Amino acid sequence: MSPVTPQQLAQARVVAADAVLRNEVDFRGYPHRHLAVAARPRLSTSGVTQLLEAVEYLTHYGWELVNVSSSTNSALFYAFLRRR
């Protein structure tokens, strides 16, 4: 996959957990205080597992978990984070 630029991230405000875990996201120019991370279940891992791995990774860079939610229609899991 291609890297997620600060401009793309600032516009969408949602990033895929797998992109975070592959270190494909540049957070340096992200201008907002809040961010959503989305994960979809995979064959090898639960979406929740991947989501929480991404959240854990981001806590090392000043983000804290605010809430977790799921969407039954799309089978997506979301984590909402706030920059400390």
Side-chain angles (χ1 to χ4, degrees):
M1 295 208 119
S2 61
V4 179
T5 67
Q7 294 81 12
Q8 291 170 324
L9 185 59
Q11 190 172 29
R13 296 190 190 203
V14 177
V15 65
D18 58 343
V20 172
L21 295 172
R22 287 192 308 265
N23 203 24
E24 295 177 344
V25 184
D26 184 356
F27 290 98
R28 290 175 295 180
Y30 186 67
H32 307 293
R33 188 165 178 226
H34 294 89
L35 173 72
V37 179
R40 174 172 275 125
R42 304 265 191 237
L43 292 176
S44 61
T45 64
S46 153
V48 172
T49 302
Q50 185 181 50
L51 184 68
L52 293 179
E53 287 174 355
V55 167
E56 187 72 26
Y57 175 81
L58 290 171
T59 61
H60 296 288
Y61 297 97
W63 294 91
E64 62 183 352
L65 180 64
V66 175
N67 199 2
V68 176
S69 180
S70 66
S71 171
T72 55
N73 295 342
S74 64
L76 285 173
F77 297 100
Y78 293 96
F80 299 95
L81 294 96
R82 171 178 45 229
R83 191 178 305 159
R84 287 183 245 154

